[in-house]
C-alpha cells in the first residue's frame, strides 16, 4: 500500500477555521464539529431486520457479514470473496473464426438481423456463480415478556465502521458490537448485559452449501465445506450434493467468555451453549482453498482449517479493545481522508434512515446526501482492499447460492462503476484488486483473442468470474457479443496514473496491460467504409435497434461506444508512452496512424448522439444504458470546452433517454449531467435515487434505496452506491492533467453553504473547498505524498483553475498547501508537514 498524507488533513486543518464550519461566520470548537459529523454518519434502524436488505453490512475486503439484530434470535450472514462455483475453464472456441467471417459478411451486406442471429455462434458459456459462506446463529434464553421494543436501537457508525445494537429486557440492557477487521482478518462481535451473569445463549454455524460442523477440544466451532465444482440450476443445490468438489472452505468461531459464574457446554456436537455470562466476544475467521484463477481447487495446497486456526492463534494476545483500536485505526486512515458537509442541519439524526429516505422527495435533506456519499466510501473500503478479490456485482455480500446475475462482475458498466469513486474520493488503494484482476484477465484473454479472433494481445467480454473468464457469455448477441470489456478496464489503469502520478505503477503494471489490450484493438479493427477502420461485429451493450428492413437487430459495425472506448485506450497508451519514453515504438506508431481513421462521434437527425454507425430507429428510447455517452463520462473525448456541439447533442440525448432506470443508470446520468456542468439535471438524478424500495414488491420499482441504503436495480446491485459517490464528486470537483474546475455542477439553491475536504484531482492534487450562499468562499490545493513518486521533493505542478468564468494559473510545489479566496487569489501558503 502506498503511503499517503491525505488522512493528515483531518487532524491538522490547512484552511481558515471558517472553512471547516461553513454554517457559521464564527469558528466553533473542533470537538463540536466532530460530534456533529459523527451524528450525521450513522445509518439508523428502529427495529430488527425483516429482510436481508434491512441487515447491516460490514466487511474487511475479503470477509463480509450482514447483521440482522434480532432479539430472540440473531443471524449474522457470512461471506468470503473467494467462494465461487466451478474450476478454471477453457475460454476459447475454435469454431469462432468461421462464425466471425460469416457474421462480418452479413454485416457488410447490411443484413443486420441475420448477422444478429448468426452471432449466437460466437457465444460461450455462462460465468460461474458467487456463493455464500454461511451464518452465525444465536438463540437467546431471555424471557421476552419483559422486552420493551421502545428501547431497541440498531445502527451502523460510518466513522468507526462498527455496528451497534441495544435493547432492554426488564432491567437489563443488552448491547452488541460488530466489526470486521482488515489488519487482523477477523469478524468480531461483543455481546454484553448490564447485569452480571445476565447473558445466556446458544450459538452454532451453518451453511446452504455442502458442509459439516463440529466443536473441537478448545470449544471452537469449526465448519468445513465446499462449493459446487460446476454451476447448476438452483433447484439442484443441496446440502448433501454429489456435485464434484470445487473450492473448499472453513469457518471457525472462537468464544471469549467473561463472568465469574459463566458456564459453557456442548450441544449436539456442533453447538455451544453459554450461561450466566457478563459478556462474550465472538471471533469468526474463515479461509478457502482458492489459490489463483489458474489453479484447480483439487490441486490447491492450501488447508483452510489450518489457515483459520493460525489466524486465531495470531489473535490470542489481543484484547477486544486492542482488536477494536487496530480496526478503527486502519479504517479511519482511509475513511477520514474525505469529509463533506452540505448542511448544518442535525435534526434528523435519531430518525430511522428509511424514514429519512421516504421524506427526501419533500424535505430534500442535504445531510442524507452526505450520509449516502460516505456510505459508498465505507462500502468500498469494506469490500475491496489490497490482496482481495475485486468488488463483484454485490460487493462481497450475498445470501443466496444463486444470486441475481450470478453475482458476477459485469464488464459493460457495473464492475467499472464499482471503482469510479476510488480515485476522486481518495481511496486509490481500494482499486488494487481490480488491477490484479485485469492481470489475470490478460492471461486468459490472450488465448481467447488468438483462438477466437486470430488476434494478438488480449480480450475480455461482458461478464467474468473468479476464474477470469474472458470468453463471451451464453445467449443472444445483444449482451454476449461485446469484446470491449478489457479495453474499458484498461482505461482505469491510465486514470490511476493520472491521479497518483505513480510512474512505477505505470511502467510495471499499467503499460504492459495497455500494450496487450492495444495490440488486440489494432487487430480487431478492420478496413471499413469510407476509409475508416471499423469494428465488426459491434453492439451497443444490451440495446437493440430496428434495421432498415424493419426487423430488430443488435449486431452492426462501429457503435459509438466501441469507438469511444478505443479512442480512450489509444489516447492513454500514447500518453503513457510519452511518460515512459516509448513513443517511438512500432506499436505506438501503429496507434498514431489508426487514430486518424477511427469513426467519429456523430449527431443523429434528431440532434442526439448517434448510438450506432447508422441512424437506426431506436425501439426503446428510454433504455437503461447510455453507452453512447461514454466519451462524456467516464471518458474524456466529449468536453464542454473542446466539443460544444457534441455536448449539446449529449444534453439532448440525456433528455431523450429520460430519468427512469435502475440505480446504476441513475447515478451514471447524474455524473454525465455533472460533466455537462448542468447542476439542475445532475441534482434531479441525485434526488431520483431516493426512493425507498419495498423488498416484498421489488418489481414495482426502478432504482431506489433499501432501508440499509443498498442501491437497487432492483434487486440489490452495489454499483449505484459507488456511482453515487463519483457523481457527487464530479458535481464538486472536475479535473484534467492541466485543469481544475471548482464547483462545476453545484446545485446552489439546494446546497447553498457547504464544504468538502480531501477530494482528489488529476496530477496528484488534493482539493478542499468551502462555499457560502452558493458562491465559492475558499479553496486549498496541495500535492500529495507518495513514496513511489520520482523526484518527490522537487515535484512541481501547474494547474489552470477555473471558477465562475475566471481562470488562474496555480503553481504548486510539493510540501506546501495553497489557500485561495473566492476571487482566486492565493492568500496563504503553509507547510504540509
Amino acid at each position: 500500500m502506498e503511503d499517503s498524507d491525505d488522512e493528515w488533513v483531518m487532524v491538522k486543518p490547512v484552511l481558515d477555521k471558517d472553512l471547516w464550519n461553513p454554517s457559521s461566520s464564527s469558528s466553533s470548537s473542533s470537538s463540536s464539529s466532530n460530534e456533529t459529523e459523527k451524528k450525521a454518519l450513522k445509518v439508523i434502524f428502529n427495529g430488527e431486520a425483516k429482510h436481508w436488505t434491512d441487515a447491516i453490512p460490514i466487511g474487511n475486503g475479503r470477509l463480509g457479514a450482514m447483521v440482522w439484530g434480532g432479539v430472540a434470535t440473531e443471524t449474522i450472514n457470512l461471506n468470503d470473496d473467494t467462494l465461487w462455483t466451478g474450476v478454471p475453464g477453457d475460454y476459447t472456441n475454435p469454431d469462432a473464426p468461421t462464425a466471425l467471417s460469416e457474421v462480418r459478411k452479413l454485416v457488410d451486406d447490411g443484413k443486420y438481423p441475420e448477422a444478429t442471429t448468426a452471432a449466437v455462434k460466437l457465444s460461450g458459456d455462462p460465468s460461474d456463480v458467487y456463493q455464500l459462506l454461511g451464518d452465525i446463529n444465536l438463540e437467546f434464553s431471555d424471557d421476552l415478556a419483559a422486552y420493551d421494543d421502545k428501547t431497541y436501537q440498531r445502527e451502523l457508525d460510518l466513522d468507526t465502521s462498527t455496528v451497534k445494537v441495544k435493547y432492554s429486557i426488564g432491567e437489563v440492557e443488552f448491547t452488541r458490537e460488530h466489526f470486521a477487521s482488515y489488519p487482523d482478518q477477523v469478524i468480531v462481535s461483543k455481546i454484553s448485559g448490564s447485569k452480571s451473569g445476565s447473558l445466556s445463549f446458544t450459538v452454532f454455524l451453518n451453511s446452504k452449501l455442502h458442509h459439516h460442523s463440529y466443536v473441537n477440544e478448545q470449544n471452537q466451532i469449526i465448519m468445513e465445506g465446499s462449493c459446487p465444482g460446476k454451476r447448476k440450476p438452483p433447484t439442484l443445490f443441496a446440502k448433501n450434493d454429489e456435485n464434484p468438489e470445487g473450492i473448499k472452505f472453513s469457518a471457525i468461531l472462537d468464544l471469549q467468555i467473561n463472568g465469574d459464574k459463566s458456564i459453557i457446554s456442548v450441544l449436539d456436537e456442533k453447538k455451544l451453549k453459554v450461561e450466566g455470562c457478563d459478556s462474550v466476544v465472538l471471533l469468526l475467521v474463515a479461509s478457502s482453498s482458492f489459490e489463483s484463477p489458474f489453479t484447480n481447487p483439487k490441486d490447491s495446497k492450501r488447508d483452510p482449517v489450518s489457515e483459520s486456526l493460525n489466524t486465531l492463534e495470531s489473535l490470542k494476545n489481543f484484547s477486544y479493545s486492542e482488536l477494536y483500536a487496530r480496526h478503527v485505526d486502519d479504517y479511519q486512515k482511509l475513511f477520514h481522508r474525505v469529509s463533506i458537509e452540505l448542511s448544518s442541519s442535525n435534526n434528523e439524526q435519531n430518525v430511522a434512515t428509511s424514514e429519512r429516505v421516504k421524506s427526501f422527495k419533500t424535505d430534500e435533506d442535504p445531510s442524507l446526501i452526505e450520509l449516502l456519499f460516505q456510505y459508498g466510501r465505507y462500502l468500498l473500503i469494506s469490500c475491496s482492499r489490497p490482496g482481495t478479490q475485486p468488488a463483484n456485482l454485490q460487493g462481497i455480500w450475498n445470501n443466496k447460492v444463486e444470486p441475481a446475475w450470478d453475482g458476477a462482475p459485469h464488464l459493460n458498466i457495473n464492475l467499472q462503476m464499482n471503482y469510479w469513486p476510488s480515485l476522486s474520493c481518495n481511496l486509490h488503494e481500494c482499486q488494487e484488486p481490480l488491477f490484479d484482476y485485469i492481470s489475470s484477465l490478460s492471461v486468459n484473454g490472450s488465448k481467447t483473442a488468438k483462438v477466437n479472433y486470430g488476434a494478438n494481445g488480449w480480450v475480455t467480454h461482458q461478464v467474468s468470474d473468479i476464474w477470469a473468464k474472458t470468453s463471451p457469455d451464453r445467449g443472444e448477441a445483444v449482451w454476449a457479443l461485446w469484446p470491449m470489456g478489457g479495453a474499458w478496464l484498461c482505461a482505469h489503469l491510465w486514470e490511476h496514473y493520472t491521479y497518483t502520478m505513480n510512474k512505477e505503477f505505470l511502467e510495471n503494471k499499467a503499460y504492459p496491460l495497455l500494450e496487450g489490450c492495444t495490440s488486440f484493438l489494432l487487430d480487431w479493427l478492420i478496413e471499413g467504409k469510407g476509409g475508416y477502420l471499423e469494428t465488426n461485429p459491434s453492439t451497443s451493450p444490451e440495446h437493440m435497434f430496428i434495421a432498415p428492413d424493419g426487423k430488430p437487430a443488435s449486431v452492426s459495425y462501429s457503435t459509438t461506444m466501441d469507438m469511444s472506448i478505443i479512442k480512450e485506450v489509444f489516447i492513454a497508451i500514447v500518453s503513457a508512452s510519452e511518460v515512459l519514453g516509448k513513443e517511438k515504438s512500432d506499436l505506438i506508431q501503429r496507434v498514431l496512424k489508426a487514430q486518424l481513421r477511427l469513426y467519429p462521434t456523430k449527431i443523429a437527425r434528431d440532434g442526439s448522439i448517434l448510438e450506432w454507425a447508422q441512424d437506426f430507429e431506436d425501439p426503446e428510447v428510454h433504455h437503461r444504458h447510455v453507452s453512447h455517452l461514454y466519451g462524456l463520462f467516464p471518458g474524456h473525448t466529449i468536453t464542454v470546452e473542446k466539443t460544444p456541439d457534441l455536448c449539446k447533442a449529449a444534453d439532448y440525448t440525456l433528455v431523450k433517454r429520460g430519468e427512469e432506470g435502475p440505480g446504476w443508470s441513475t447515478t451514471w446520468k447524474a455524473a454525465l449531467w455533472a460533466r455537462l456542468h448542468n447542476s439542475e439535471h445532475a441534482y434531479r438524478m441525485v434526488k431520483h435515487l431516493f426512493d425507498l424500495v419495498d423488498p416484498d414488491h421489488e418489481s414495482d420499482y426502478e432504482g431506489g434505496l433499501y432501508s440499509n441504503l443498498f442501491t437497487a436495480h432492483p434487486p440489490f446491485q452495489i454499483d449505484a452506491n459507488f456511482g453515487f459517490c463519483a457523481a457527487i464528486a464530479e458535481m464538486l470537483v472536475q479535473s484534467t492533467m492541466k485543469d481544475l474546475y471548482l464547483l462545476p455542477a453545484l446545485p446552489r439553491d439546494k446546497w447553498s453553504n457547504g464544504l468538502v475536504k480531501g477530494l482528489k484531482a488529476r496530477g496528484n492534487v488534493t482539493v478542499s473547498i468551502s462555499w457560502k450562499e452558493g458562491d465559492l468562499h475558499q479553496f486549498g490545493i496541495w500535492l500529495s505524498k507518495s513514496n513511489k513518486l520520482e523526484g518527490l521533493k522537487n515535484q512541481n505542478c501547474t494547474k489552470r483553475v477555473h471558477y465562475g468564468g475566471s481562470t488562474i494559473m496555480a503553481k504548486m510545489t510539493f510540501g506546501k498547501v495553497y489557500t485561495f479566496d473566492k476571487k482566486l487569489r492565493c492568500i496563504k501558503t503553509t507547510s504540509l508537514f
Side-chain angles (χ1 to χ4, degrees):
M1 183 183 296
E2 298 174 24
D3 293 341
S4 174
D5 64 286
D6 295 313
E7 64 269 21
W8 162 90
V9 71
M10 301 299 295
V11 181
K12 183 182 178 184
V14 297
L15 305 183
D16 288 350
K17 289 183 178 179
D18 237 6
L19 180 57
W20 311 115
N21 187 26
S23 60
S24 170
S25 58
S26 61
S27 63
S28 60
S29 68
S30 60
S31 61
S32 174
S33 175
N34 287 341
E35 182 62 28
T36 299
E37 186 175 358
K38 287 182 179 180
K39 287 182 179 178
L41 295 179
K42 291 183 178 181
V43 184
I44 296 175
F45 304 80
N46 56 16
E48 55 191 272
K50 296 180 180 179
H51 302 88
W52 186 74
T53 49
D54 300 328
I56 302 177
I58 57 174
N60 64 12
R62 181 177 66 88
L63 299 177
M66 296 287 286
V67 180
W68 288 60
V71 175
T73 61
E74 169 66 299
T75 300
I76 302 174
N77 306 132
L78 303 172
N79 291 105
D80 179 318
D81 71 352
T82 63
L83 298 189
W84 285 74
T85 64
V87 297
D90 178 3
Y91 305 114
T92 64
N93 176 8
D95 296 326
T98 300
L100 179 63
S101 297
E102 178 187 355
V103 172
R104 282 178 167 170
K105 178 65 166 57
L106 290 168
V107 169
D108 287 342
D109 293 341
K111 298 179 179 180
Y112 305 118
E114 292 83 354
T116 300
T117 300
V120 174
K121 298 175 186 177
L122 292 167
S123 297
D125 295 322
S127 67
D128 271 290
V129 185
Y130 183 51
Q131 299 292 277
L132 44 76
L133 172 56
D135 302 322
I136 302 175
N137 296 280
L138 298 111
E139 299 171 348
F140 293 91
S141 305
D142 306 296
D143 181 6
L144 295 184
Y147 167 59
D148 183 0
D149 60 6
K150 295 180 181 179
T151 65
Y152 187 92
Q153 300 175 42
R154 181 165 59 101
E155 67 181 29
L156 168 62
D157 185 352
L158 298 183
D159 191 61
T160 60
S161 183
T162 306
V163 173
K164 299 177 182 179
V165 180
K166 286 186 179 181
Y167 58 90
S168 294
I169 298 178
E171 298 180 353
V172 181
E173 182 181 68
F174 292 95
T175 61
R176 305 176 196 164
E177 294 179 337
H178 310 270
F179 62 90
S181 168
Y182 176 71
D184 293 310
Q185 290 298 298
V186 60
I187 294 174
V188 183
S189 299
K190 182 179 181 180
I191 307 173
S192 57
S194 61
K195 182 179 179 181
S196 179
S198 60
L199 181 62
S200 299
F201 60 85
T202 299
V203 60
F204 60 97
L205 299 176
N206 68 2
S207 177
K208 296 176 183 176
L209 297 178
H210 177 65
H211 75 283
H212 69 281
S213 59
Y214 56 95
V215 177
N216 67 7
E217 293 179 355
Q218 288 73 43
N219 284 332
Q220 297 166 330
I221 303 176
I222 299 179
M223 180 172 68
E224 300 181 59
S226 63
C227 300
K230 58 182 179 180
R231 62 169 293 150
K232 299 179 303 174
T235 54
L236 297 182
F237 280 99
K239 293 182 178 179
N240 298 314
D241 204 331
E242 295 301 324
N243 190 302
E245 277 193 347
I247 298 171
K248 296 179 180 179
F249 64 85
S250 75
I252 303 180
L253 186 67
D254 183 77
L255 276 61
Q256 299 176 355
I257 300 172
N258 299 291
D260 295 336
K261 299 180 181 180
S262 59
I263 300 172
I264 184 169
S265 55
V266 180
L267 300 179
D268 301 328
E269 299 183 348
K270 58 184 179 181
K271 298 181 180 181
L272 288 175
K273 183 175 184 180
V274 295
E275 300 173 275
C277 301
D278 299 343
S279 65
V280 177
V281 175
L282 291 80
L283 304 177
L284 187 286
V285 297
S287 185
S288 84
S289 63
F290 177 78
E291 285 189 9
S292 81
F294 316 113
T295 303
N296 194 304
K298 69 182 176 132
D299 299 324
S300 173
K301 295 178 175 58
R302 295 183 60 181
D303 183 340
V305 174
S306 294
E307 290 186 13
S308 296
L309 288 171
N310 289 339
T311 301
L312 280 176
E313 180 68 17
S314 70
L315 304 178
K316 68 179 184 180
N317 294 325
F318 292 123
S319 68
Y320 173 81
S321 296
E322 289 170 330
L323 288 172
Y324 182 69
R326 287 163 59 85
H327 155 70
V328 171
D329 179 65
D330 166 76
Y331 169 77
Q332 290 185 342
K333 284 179 179 177
L334 295 173
F335 187 74
H336 276 182
R337 291 177 182 173
V338 174
S339 68
I340 184 170
E341 293 182 25
L342 304 176
S343 168
S344 60
S345 172
N346 196 28
N347 299 327
E348 302 289 343
Q349 302 312 314
N350 294 319
V351 177
T353 303
S354 59
E355 294 301 315
R356 297 177 64 191
V357 173
K358 280 183 182 178
S359 63
F360 187 86
K361 296 294 186 188
T362 54
D363 64 30
E364 300 183 39
D365 178 13
S367 65
L368 191 56
I369 292 174
E370 301 166 12
L371 183 66
L372 189 60
F373 172 85
Q374 292 287 34
Y375 183 67
R377 295 182 68 246
Y378 161 82
L379 290 175
L380 188 56
I381 296 169
S382 300
C383 74
S384 185
R385 300 290 293 272
T388 73
Q389 299 301 308
N392 63 47
L393 205 59
Q394 297 184 181
I396 51 174
W397 298 279
N398 169 40
N399 66 332
K400 297 178 180 179
V401 294
E402 194 77 6
W405 300 287
D406 300 328
H410 283 59
L411 279 55
N412 62 7
I413 176 59
N414 315 97
L415 178 60
Q416 289 88 348
M417 183 178 284
N418 283 358
Y419 288 95
W420 283 357
S422 60
L423 296 173
S424 60
C425 297
N426 212 334
L427 296 171
H428 64 87
E429 299 93 335
C430 293
Q431 208 174 19
E432 288 185 25
L434 179 66
F435 301 144
D436 293 337
Y437 189 57
I438 297 173
S439 294
S440 296
L441 290 170
S442 72
V443 175
N444 286 336
S446 63
K447 301 172 187 176
T448 305
K450 182 177 181 179
V451 175
N452 288 34
Y453 305 128
N456 294 299
W458 64 276
V459 64
T460 300
H461 293 78
Q462 166 256 359
V463 67
S464 190
D465 54 30
I466 198 169
W467 309 111
K469 166 185 162 60
T470 52
S471 55
D473 194 9
R474 65 179 170 187
E476 300 298 324
V478 66
W479 68 79
L481 183 58
W482 194 72
M484 292 292 129
W488 189 345
L489 289 175
C490 278
H492 285 246
L493 296 165
W494 174 246
E495 285 283 65
H496 188 83
Y497 170 75
T498 65
Y499 273 92
T500 64
M501 303 301 291
N502 185 339
K503 190 175 179 180
E504 180 183 328
F505 166 83
L506 181 65
E507 185 168 17
N508 298 332
K509 188 79 169 184
Y511 198 79
L513 293 168
L514 279 166
E515 280 185 311
C517 176
T518 301
S519 294
F520 170 76
L521 294 176
L522 287 170
D523 285 356
W524 182 246
L525 288 164
I526 59 177
E527 292 292 332
K529 301 172 183 177
Y532 289 114
L533 295 174
E534 70 177 21
T535 55
N536 174 8
S538 179
T539 62
S540 191
E542 303 181 29
H543 197 190
M544 305 285 287
F545 60 87
I546 302 299
D549 62 3
K551 297 177 181 179
S554 63
V555 174
S556 61
Y557 64 96
S558 299
T559 60
T560 298
M561 191 184 212
D562 273 12
M563 292 295 108
S564 298
I565 291 175
I566 293 172
K567 290 172 188 175
E568 205 74 28
V569 173
F570 282 2
I571 291 170
I573 195 166
V574 169
S575 300
S577 74
E578 293 169 353
V579 174
L580 300 175
K582 298 183 179 184
E583 62 269 35
K584 294 183 180 180
S585 70
D586 291 342
L587 181 70
I588 298 303
Q589 295 308 305
R590 290 179 63 198
V591 169
L592 292 173
K593 292 177 182 178
Q595 282 180 310
L596 302 175
R597 300 179 61 199
L598 294 179
Y599 206 80
T601 301
K602 291 189 174 182
I603 299 174
R605 291 188 298 270
D606 66 359
S608 63
I609 295 288
L610 207 60
E611 185 165 356
W612 299 275
Q614 295 185 38
D615 201 350
F616 296 124
E617 178 186 346
D618 185 347
E620 192 178 357
V621 294
H622 302 309
H623 193 268
R624 60 194 176 276
H625 281 264
V626 282
S627 306
H628 45 322
L629 296 184
Y630 173 93
L632 176 61
F633 184 92
H636 308 280
T637 54
I638 300 176
T639 67
V640 170
E641 290 185 342
K642 295 181 179 180
T643 58
D645 290 343
L646 290 179
C647 282
K648 181 179 179 181
D651 184 304
Y652 179 66
T653 303
L654 284 167
V655 172
K656 178 181 174 182
R657 217 53 153 196
E659 297 182 354
E660 297 302 318
W664 57 263
S665 178
T666 299
T667 57
W668 193 358
K669 291 170 185 173
L672 287 162
W673 281 118
R675 276 281 172 92
L676 290 172
H677 298 184
N678 190 318
S679 60
E680 178 185 354
H681 278 93
Y683 180 77
R684 282 175 63 89
M685 297 314 302
V686 166
K687 181 179 177 181
H688 191 73
L689 190 65
F690 287 86
D691 188 15
L692 186 65
V693 176
D694 179 355
D696 289 326
H697 300 91
E698 284 183 327
S699 60
D700 295 341
Y701 296 82
E702 274 202 281
L705 299 168
Y706 294 99
S707 68
N708 66 357
L709 294 186
F710 273 169
T711 49
H713 184 286
F716 162 55
Q717 278 186 205
I718 204 167
D719 39 28
N721 283 110
F722 302 133
F724 183 85
C725 296
I728 297 298
E730 286 290 319
M731 294 169 75
L732 301 176
V733 175
Q734 293 177 25
S735 65
T736 68
M737 290 291 281
K738 296 180 180 179
D739 298 274
L740 178 64
Y741 300 87
L742 304 176
L743 309 178
L746 176 72
R748 289 167 168 77
D749 57 330
K750 304 296 182 180
W751 309 336
S752 56
N753 301 293
L755 68 89
V756 63
K757 297 187 293 182
L759 292 179
K760 298 294 290 189
R762 291 170 179 84
N764 192 36
V765 175
T766 307
V767 185
S768 295
I769 313 172
S770 74
W771 61 95
K772 291 184 176 181
E773 298 179 357
D775 198 10
L776 177 68
H777 175 56
Q778 286 184 355
F779 71 95
I781 51 177
W782 64 95
L783 299 176
S784 298
K785 174 184 176 183
S786 172
N787 286 341
K788 296 184 179 179
L789 295 179
E790 291 191 352
L792 185 62
K793 294 182 180 178
N794 299 317
Q795 186 189 5
N796 297 286
C797 178
T798 300
K799 286 280 188 185
R800 290 189 296 256
V801 181
H802 307 265
Y803 176 76
S806 299
T807 300
I808 62 161
M809 300 298 292
K811 296 182 178 180
M812 291 170 280
T813 300
F814 172 75
K816 295 182 179 180
V817 179
Y818 302 84
T819 304
F820 296 77
D821 65 11
K822 62 183 179 181
K823 294 184 179 180
L824 308 187
R825 298 176 302 193
C826 185
I827 58 174
K828 185 187 298 183
T829 303
T830 54
S831 174
L832 188 61
F833 305 108

